[in-house]
Amino acid sequence: MEAASNQLVLQLNQLVVAYPSCSEPTLQGLTLQLSRGERVALVGPSGCGKSTVAKAVLQLLPPGSKSSGGLLLCNQDPRILRPKALNKLRGEAVGLVFQDPMTRLNPLLSIGGHLTDTLRAHRPGVAREQVRQRAEDLLQRVGITADRFNSYPHEFSGGMRQRVAIALAMALNPPLVIADEPTTSLDVAVAAQVMAELCSLCAELGSALLLISHDLALAGKWCEQMAVLEQGRLLEQGSVNQVLQNPQQPLTKRLVAAARRREGGDTPQSPEAAVVLELHQVRCWHRLPSLPWRSRWLKSVDGVSLRLHAAETLGLVGPSGCGKSTLCRALMGLNPLRGGEVLLLGKPLAVARQRMQMVFQDPLACLNPVMDVQRAIADPLLIHRMASKAAARSMALALMDAVGLPASFASRLPRELSGGQQQRVAIARALILKPSVLLCDESVSMLDAEIQADVLELLRDLQHQFGLGIIFVTHDLGLASGFCHRLIILNQGKIVEEGPGDKLLRNPLAEITKQLVAASPRLPQLVV
């Protein structure tokens, strides 16, 4: 048993990987090993090569990519296998849990069908009844009851879809599981449940876990070892306590310092300023399918009242499905209001909505892929006919400077920028119409700790410069408590608690707040 637990399942020895469109290799001599039962977190800044490791192991690199050096998965080199043998190795030697489970789930295939297809492909001799039983057992193991066997992915929440992804990854009892940012889009309570189930299954099967993450606190909570990547090389490796409490390399020190700043110290004091946004008993209800003589409604937002002051940041926190994003979409006019009143600068929202702008979670998804940076920022002025082309481009350059983008980036396309740079473009685009209120919907959740800290500092600077009122929507209570002046906890469409972040962390009153506090991963305390 001891020998099995120490069996190497992944061996990378001076691995070099180069993409066809890049002048420099993404992985530049990476050496890393994982044995059965080990849990290793792979962390580092955006672009360091974390996800490339997973792609190289599974041979999912784009055509034209080049790879050299040592790569063994369960003592086989996947690069030299024929397609049939490679597919067998992929399915049986390694399970992959993606960041977005919908990229793996077929919208036309039932939840049970996903599992039975996988099992039949790799176990063709097993009886149909046994395959069905195994699929139901897997779903039960990740907390999904058998009555949802014939449901479809769109009928599941994000957390439930990720549970299905875990069941698929574990279906064939793989010796290695790679989880690539598996909780980025989940609230902290659901993320804790998903990680607990994933780690429990790995421990039960003796599988190694390679967790790819930009969240140092999450990685420290669920893994025993931590490996830090910089520009495709292994910079530092050790136990999580060793790396997080006593980092040795400059990059690791910066990442840990940024993560501690992210957790925050004293909550900022709310400014005494004019009210820029008022909500009075706002309701956003959605009609559900029902009999003609009986109406049924999903009360996504049900009587929310709040005030936002100029130069104030109000954190809107809650679990998945609590109504956070629904409220944002309603304020932007993307969802209908079923009742209540919204005043922006003292005027009805429909009249003044241009003075409210939004920064989304995924900047690449909201930028036109064929529009260069300068045009993307200037475009809202042209849409609203508020400036000539020359004036709009000049204002765009000024805003690029304000958000820390050099003028040389003006002709670049979004795909040529890093995640942090893309988010700066999105922020500049939102600011060009000179809004009084900025809605930030999970706007830093996809960024690593160091870039998160940079973007949050940028938002603070812009807030002071322009007097912006900011509604900061997040599922991360720890992040919100350090960045926001006040917090509002939303659950089932209603405000259940509000106050300064440090107070809510120390003494949560509502049950959902207690759950969020308990589920929020924190860095280990420094040993003096």
Side-chain angles (χ1 to χ4, degrees):
M1 190 70 178
E2 183 67 24
S5 65
N6 292 327
Q7 181 184 348
L8 286 172
V9 294
L10 180 65
Q11 301 173 68
L12 309 180
N13 184 20
Q14 293 296 311
L15 181 65
V16 176
V17 173
Y19 291 112
S21 58
C22 298
S23 57
E24 293 288 331
T26 301
L27 296 183
Q28 303 188 37
L30 176 62
T31 298
L32 184 69
Q33 293 183 341
L34 264 85
S35 298
R36 291 199 69 130
E38 281 191 313
R39 295 202 301 268
V40 177
L42 195 61
V43 303
S46 296
C48 71
K50 301 188 299 292
S51 294
T52 299
V53 174
K55 293 176 183 177
V57 170
L58 289 159
Q59 285 301 287
L60 296 175
L61 298 167
S65 300
K66 295 181 179 179
S67 172
S68 62
L71 168 56
L72 290 178
L73 174 60
C74 293
N75 294 318
Q76 297 187 72
D77 188 340
R79 295 170 296 185
I80 62 174
L81 296 180
R82 294 181 179 274
K84 185 176 181 179
L86 178 59
N87 286 336
K88 181 178 175 63
L89 183 69
R90 282 172 176 163
E92 298 180 9
V94 59
L96 181 61
V97 182
F98 293 90
Q99 177 177 347
D100 181 3
M102 283 302 281
T103 60
R104 181 173 183 182
L105 300 179
N106 184 337
L108 302 180
L109 193 62
S110 70
I111 296 302
H114 281 85
L115 287 162
T116 55
D117 271 11
T118 299
L119 292 167
R120 286 176 190 144
H122 291 272
R123 304 286 188 268
V126 178
R128 183 177 295 271
E129 295 77 13
Q130 290 177 291
V131 169
R132 169 76 184 225
Q133 186 59 53
R134 170 65 173 160
E136 290 184 357
D137 290 345
L138 282 164
L139 290 177
Q140 187 73 37
R141 188 65 183 81
V142 296
I144 298 174
T145 55
D147 62 341
R148 302 304 302 272
F149 192 89
N150 293 319
S151 298
Y152 286 85
H154 73 272
E155 298 176 297
F156 277 20
S157 67
M160 291 180 70
R161 288 196 291 260
Q162 197 62 291
R163 291 167 195 259
V164 175
I166 291 172
L168 282 166
M170 307 303 294
L172 301 170
N173 301 339
L176 172 65
V177 176
I178 300 177
D180 190 356
E181 302 283 7
T183 63
T184 299
S185 58
L186 307 178
D187 70 65
V188 288
V190 175
Q193 294 168 6
V194 165
M195 286 305 304
E197 287 161 359
L198 179 58
C199 292
S200 175
L201 282 167
C202 286
E204 184 179 307
L205 299 174
S207 302
L209 173 64
L210 181 63
L211 174 65
I212 297 172
S213 179
H214 64 254
D215 190 332
L216 297 188
L218 177 83
K221 180 175 181 179
W222 297 106
C223 292
E224 301 145 346
Q225 294 280 315
M226 185 171 289
V228 184
L229 258 61
E230 182 180 31
Q231 295 181 347
R233 292 187 177 92
L234 183 62
L235 183 68
E236 188 168 350
Q237 185 174 7
S239 70
V240 292
N241 283 336
Q242 176 186 331
V243 173
L244 295 178
Q245 294 185 6
N246 188 28
Q248 298 298 306
Q249 300 297 323
L251 172 66
T252 315
K253 291 177 180 179
R254 294 201 308 270
L255 290 174
V256 173
R260 294 197 182 279
R261 289 200 307 273
R262 176 185 180 278
E263 291 184 353
D266 296 332
T267 302
Q269 296 297 308
S270 296
E272 293 295 332
V275 174
V276 291
L277 180 66
E278 293 181 83
L279 276 63
H280 301 288
Q281 292 297 309
V282 167
R283 298 194 302 275
C284 301
W285 294 3
H286 305 291
R287 189 186 293 274
L288 296 174
S290 60
L291 296 172
W293 57 85
R294 187 179 67 180
S295 295
R296 290 198 309 144
W297 297 87
L298 175 63
K299 300 180 180 181
S300 300
V301 176
D302 192 24
V304 168
S305 299
L306 59 85
R307 285 185 171 188
L308 176 69
H309 298 82
E312 179 188 30
T313 302
L314 179 63
L316 196 59
V317 185
S320 297
C322 70
K324 305 186 300 292
S325 294
T326 299
L327 181 58
C328 283
R329 289 196 294 267
L331 293 176
M332 293 303 298
L334 303 176
N335 275 349
L337 291 173
R338 296 291 180 180
E341 182 182 32
V342 180
L343 297 177
L344 180 57
L345 302 175
K347 300 176 181 178
L349 181 60
V351 176
R353 185 174 279 122
Q354 188 175 296
R355 300 299 301 276
M356 181 188 298
Q357 295 297 315
M358 191 165 180
V359 181
F360 296 89
Q361 177 178 0
D362 184 356
L364 190 60
C366 66
L367 295 173
N368 189 324
V370 298
M371 193 177 285
D372 65 39
V373 167
Q374 188 177 23
R375 173 68 191 280
I377 296 172
D379 201 45
L381 289 174
L382 302 178
I383 291 172
H384 292 280
R385 299 180 180 178
M386 295 175 62
S388 65
K389 285 187 178 180
R393 293 180 71 83
S394 177
M395 291 174 66
L397 283 175
L399 269 176
M400 285 178 62
D401 181 63
V403 299
L405 290 172
S408 60
F409 280 30
S411 59
R412 292 193 181 186
L413 296 174
R415 68 174 182 273
E416 299 173 313
L417 305 178
S418 69
Q421 291 164 349
Q422 291 165 0
Q423 198 59 288
R424 290 172 186 267
V425 174
I427 292 170
R429 179 182 169 89
L431 291 179
I432 202 161
L433 293 178
K434 299 181 179 179
S436 299
V437 175
L438 200 62
L439 301 181
C440 296
D441 189 4
E442 300 283 6
S443 53
V444 297
S445 66
M446 296 180 68
L447 307 177
D448 68 60
E450 192 172 22
I451 297 176
Q452 272 191 4
D454 290 343
V455 171
L456 292 176
E457 186 175 350
L458 170 64
L459 287 172
R460 284 195 185 97
D461 291 343
L462 293 171
Q463 183 175 55
H464 295 150
Q465 183 178 347
F466 298 110
L468 288 169
I470 297 178
I471 293 184
F472 191 78
V473 179
T474 181
H475 59 254
D476 191 331
L477 186 56
L479 171 63
S481 67
F483 178 66
C484 302
H485 298 98
R486 288 186 297 126
L487 299 185
I488 285 177
I489 310 298
L490 206 63
N491 191 35
Q492 297 182 346
K494 296 180 180 292
I495 294 175
V496 296
E497 192 167 359
E498 58 183 300
D502 56 350
K503 178 183 176 183
L504 296 186
L505 283 175
R506 288 196 311 268
N507 186 32
L509 299 178
E511 186 60 34
I512 188 63
T513 315
K514 294 177 182 178
Q515 293 175 18
L516 292 173
V517 171
S520 296
R522 309 283 288 182
L523 292 176
Q525 295 298 311
L526 292 173
V527 177
V528 181

